Amino acid sequence: MHARLFLFALCLLAFTASAAPKFNVLFVVSDDLCTALGAYGHPLVKSPNIDRLAAKGVRFDRAYCQYPLCNPSRASFLTGLRPDTTKVHENRTHFRQAVPEAQSLGQTFQKAGYFVARVGKLYHYAVPLQIGTDGLDDPPSWQKVINPSGRDKADEDKIFSLTPGVFGGSLSWLAADGADEEQTDALSAAEAIKLMEANREKPFFLAVGFFRPHTPYVAPKKYFDLYPPDQIKLANVPEDHKQGVPAFAFGSHKKDQEQLTDDLRRQAIQAYHASTSFMDAQLGKL
């Protein structure tokens, strides 16, 4: 009798779950965003939309990336597989080379009857080189893809870089002319809004990947104005800070950053915060 009642309860639970409405899912990723946000107590950064989202949801105080590099980490959180399974340990290898039958997050939603689309960067892109392309995308993950490309891509010749002409892998920034709407992330938000409106009557999984605040730190000038350099406090780094530390700890050290002055450091931080606030504004629209 107890077994029959248990089976009946399971059947009732399954029926209830199948009859429940399917909630739409908006999955947003911001590239190279750290916890320099109001929601995490930063005294200077203005991120009202992220803060509002955090206040209504769950904010993690201990979250760990799968691998300290873009392609391995993205392949991991979009498949649920660890990098030692995907065999992705750098920014060139596609995860399906090692696990061709892996079921991605997008495929999971497709199998559940959702309309699944991507706007912007979800899997790895070389930024800014591959803005406007599919990058290292996974076509089976999506039913529709949109790759916006804005003024930040067109204005590359105006960008300051510690290594002239090198962007993405070097500290670089630009206080851009023009309006938000001309920038790639604003175009992404606008396209995502169109997709949500067009598919509002059916369950959808919409993945939106913002490029900012990844380098180059590009945002309209008004966002730079939010962070006067004289308000930016620099960390006190002793000259002998490398003494007694294993060389491996500095494996990702960029030699071009040895030319940084305190003034340039403040400019770089100002640009990063400006890019964060610009991205936050686009999230607010979304």
Side-chain angles (χ1 to χ4, degrees), residues 67 69-75 86-98 121 123-127 129-130 134-138 254:
Y67 198 94
L69 197 62
C70 192
N71 187 28
S73 192
R74 287 173 179 266
T86 64
K87 307 302 180 187
V88 178
H89 299 111
E90 26 64 20
N91 285 337
R92 297 177 301 277
T93 300
H94 197 285
F95 71 89
R96 292 204 185 274
Q97 291 179 219
K121 179 178 179 177
Y123 291 96
H124 179 61
Y125 280 62
V127 178
L129 179 65
Q130 292 180 322
D134 280 330
L136 204 62
D137 196 26
D138 179 55
K254 305 277 187 183

Side-chain angles (χ1 to χ4, degrees), residues 13 16-17 19 28 41 52-53 77 101 122 144 168 199 219 239 249 253 269 277 279:
L13 180 63
T16 302
V28 182
R52 185 160 50 93
L53 193 61
F77 71 67
E101 302 304 319
L122 268 297
K144 184 177 181 64
N199 295 278
E239 291 187 7
H253 171 72
I269 295 170
S277 290
M279 181 279 301

Side-chain angles (χ1 to χ4, degrees), residues 4-175:
R4 286 198 297 272
L5 285 173
F6 179 66
L7 287 172
F8 174 75
L10 283 179
C11 290
L12 183 62
L13 180 63
F15 173 78
T16 302
S18 65
K22 293 180 177 178
F23 291 99
N24 293 328
V25 178
L26 177 61
F27 182 68
V28 182
V29 177
S30 173
D31 200 357
D32 275 4
L33 178 66
C34 71
T35 55
L37 299 163
Y40 284 92
H42 196 282
L44 194 61
V45 173
K46 296 171 176 60
S47 52
N49 297 296
I50 291 176
D51 300 348
R52 185 160 50 93
L53 193 61
K56 297 197 311 185
V58 176
R59 186 199 65 183
F60 291 96
D61 289 317
R62 285 192 171 187
Y64 303 89
C65 74
Q66 295 87 331
Y67 198 94
L69 197 62
C70 192
N71 187 28
S73 192
R74 287 173 179 266
S76 184
F77 71 67
L78 287 167
T79 62
L81 302 174
R82 294 179 183 272
D84 57 357
T85 298
T86 64
K87 307 302 180 187
V88 178
H89 299 111
E90 26 64 20
N91 285 337
R92 297 177 301 277
T93 300
H94 197 285
F95 71 89
R96 292 204 185 274
Q97 291 179 219
V99 284
E101 302 304 319
Q103 180 173 306
S104 70
L105 184 60
Q107 288 175 301
T108 300
F109 275 95
Q110 288 183 57
K111 288 186 176 183
Y114 279 67
F115 167 70
V116 179
R118 166 186 68 77
V119 180
K121 179 178 179 177
L122 268 297
Y123 291 96
H124 179 61
Y125 280 62
V127 178
L129 179 65
Q130 292 180 322
I131 289 178
T133 74
D134 280 330
L136 204 62
D137 196 26
D138 179 55
S141 290
W142 325 106
Q143 294 166 302
K144 184 177 181 64
V145 300
I146 299 177
N147 297 308
S149 179
R151 184 169 181 167
D152 44 316
K153 176 64 177 167
D155 282 351
E156 284 182 10
D157 61 327
K158 301 177 182 179
I159 296 173
F160 168 82
S161 177
L162 286 184
T163 304
V166 176
F167 313 116
S170 179
L171 271 179
S172 48
W173 58 86
L174 173 68

